[in-house]
Amino acid sequence: AAIFRLVESQAVAGNFPVKLSETGCFQDLATMKPSPGVVPYSVNAPLWADGAHQQRYIVLPAGAMAPGSSPPIALPAGSTDDPAGDYASWELPIGTLVIDHLALGSAAIGAVGSVPVETRMMRRDANAWRFFTWVWQKDGKDASFVPGAVSTEFVVPKAGGGTVLQPWAVPGGAQCKSCHSGGPGGTRLLGMQTAQLNRDSDFDGKTFNQLDVLRAAKWLPADFGKPGGHAALPDQHDLVAPAAAALDGEARAWLHVQCASCHAPGASANTDFDLRASTPLAKTKTCNIAASVDFGVAAMKLVTPGEPAASALVKRVALPATDSLFMPQVGVTTAHAAGVALVEAWVSSLKGCN
């Protein structure tokens, strides 16, 4: 089936694909096998989503790969702190569809024990990116479009046996836009960045770096260069306490993914600090900078080197998700324990702001 052209309005009208099965994006919803033209990809450091497994896909618009045409992906300009633009969002052509499928449980997506919960899509139209979400039925057979934010819950098998009833928060279009604003074309793409995609992946049983594959497929300019010449975020799919030498890179990567979508120049947060991994700590406007909320600590800073208890950055990511000061504010119902421990260890290790 042809991939449905999603309409600009979030309202369900006409023959809009109310069911995920009607979009034409997948040949088999049980395994999430994509249709031809729907290309899977993976990232180094995934966004925390209450422990959900995630599978991502991209669909280029018809004509994007026409003979003689330029590569469809426009790479961002570099900067002083990010010369190759490796930590900035790629610009994708009008008509591009980006998909993020989420499933709970310890099993891999499509395997027995995996519980599909949500499938999100972003489509670039002429003037803006549009956001669409399908929430899965409890029987896992299909998903239904929801026009706004909703809260629900799913029965999820536990690794040691039994089940748990897990809450699930579905962001609405306005919330999606709040995290995906301020990049090329007006939207920040959290996964479509060189440092995120610079990783090996399986292609029909063979392992290749994704950047090599995209360059060979002429999605990227021919002079893009080899992956070794570009930055790569650390793999954080199974986040564990890193060795001391890797602590700074791991913590900055986690903050880049979980926080910098809102806390970066041009992004949606009404703050001026910058948590992108490419920004040196001294330039982030967090280190030894007074926090707006002191949590009862007189000398509270956003980041106080060596003192996580006096660092609002640590405090806010460690709060219960129901607290109004908890960060990030969208799409989660529980803090990321491993991420909190990582940031706390990193702040403890800091000797200063340089």
Side-chain angles (χ1 to χ4, degrees):
I3 296 170
F4 199 98
R5 185 188 184 280
L6 298 173
V7 297
E8 291 190 2
S9 174
Q10 291 277 2
V12 178
N15 61 344
F16 182 92
V18 176
K19 295 293 187 181
L20 184 63
S21 57
E22 298 169 355
T23 64
C25 291
F26 300 97
Q27 299 182 58
D28 183 0
L29 290 184
T31 61
M32 295 305 290
K33 181 180 179 181
S35 298
V38 181
V39 180
Y41 70 94
S42 60
V43 299
N44 280 315
L47 184 71
W48 168 250
D50 285 355
H53 295 279
Q54 300 178 58
Q55 175 60 62
R56 297 167 176 83
Y57 310 84
I58 182 171
V59 186
L60 291 181
M65 299 300 297
S69 62
S70 300
I73 294 175
L75 298 174
S79 64
T80 301
D81 297 322
D82 183 14
D86 289 341
Y87 296 92
S89 298
W90 292 355
E91 184 167 4
L92 305 177
I94 291 171
T96 298
L97 186 67
V98 180
I99 304 170
D100 186 12
H101 173 68
L102 302 101
L104 294 169
S106 58
I109 288 176
V112 175
S114 176
V115 179
V117 293
E118 184 181 351
T119 302
R120 303 168 180 169
M121 297 191 190
M122 298 170 54
R123 186 185 188 279
R124 186 177 183 186
D125 290 335
N127 300 314
W129 282 83
R130 307 293 178 178
F131 305 91
F132 308 87
T133 299
W134 286 260
V135 175
W136 282 73
Q137 300 166 181
K138 299 303 188 286
D139 62 11
K141 293 182 178 180
D142 208 340
S144 299
F145 173 75
V146 293
V150 298
S151 295
T152 185
E153 54 192 15
F154 291 87
V155 176
V156 181
K158 296 166 63 176
T163 60
V164 63
L165 190 62
Q166 182 160 335
W168 187 257
V170 179
Q175 291 174 304
C176 295
K177 188 174 181 178
S178 72
C179 288
H180 290 283
S181 62
T187 295
R188 191 180 303 275
L189 297 168
L190 309 183
M192 301 304 296
Q193 302 173 0
T194 299
Q196 278 281 36
L197 296 168
N198 192 357
R199 61 182 277 113
D200 288 345
S201 193
D202 179 81
F203 294 88
D204 295 326
K206 297 182 179 180
T207 300
F208 299 98
N209 186 285
Q210 291 180 136
L211 299 180
D212 277 336
V213 171
L214 294 176
R215 186 165 59 94
K218 299 184 179 180
W219 285 33
L220 297 173
D223 61 357
F224 178 76
K226 293 290 186 179
H230 291 278
L233 292 174
D235 189 321
Q236 295 192 330
H237 285 83
D238 296 303
L239 190 59
V240 295
L247 186 56
D248 184 76
E250 291 278 1
R252 293 303 307 277
W254 190 87
L255 293 169
H256 177 88
V257 175
Q258 315 302 329
C259 307
S261 57
C262 292
H263 295 286
S268 61
N270 60 350
T271 59
D272 66 351
F273 56 88
D274 181 2
L275 291 175
R276 292 174 298 173
S278 54
T279 304
L281 178 60
K283 294 183 179 181
T284 61
K285 299 182 181 180
T286 63
C287 192
N288 281 330
I289 301 297
S292 59
V293 179
D294 64 16
F295 293 96
V297 178
M300 180 67 70
K301 304 291 194 296
L302 289 170
V303 173
T304 304
E307 297 184 51
S311 298
L313 187 65
V314 176
K315 293 286 190 182
R316 296 191 72 153
V317 298
L319 287 169
T322 52
D323 194 298
S324 62
L325 295 176
F326 171 74
M327 290 289 174
Q329 294 181 334
V330 175
V332 295
T333 65
T334 184
H336 185 197
V340 172
L342 173 63
V343 174
E344 185 175 36
W346 170 66
V347 172
S348 295
S349 74
L350 294 175
K351 306 302 181 185
C353 298
N354 296 311

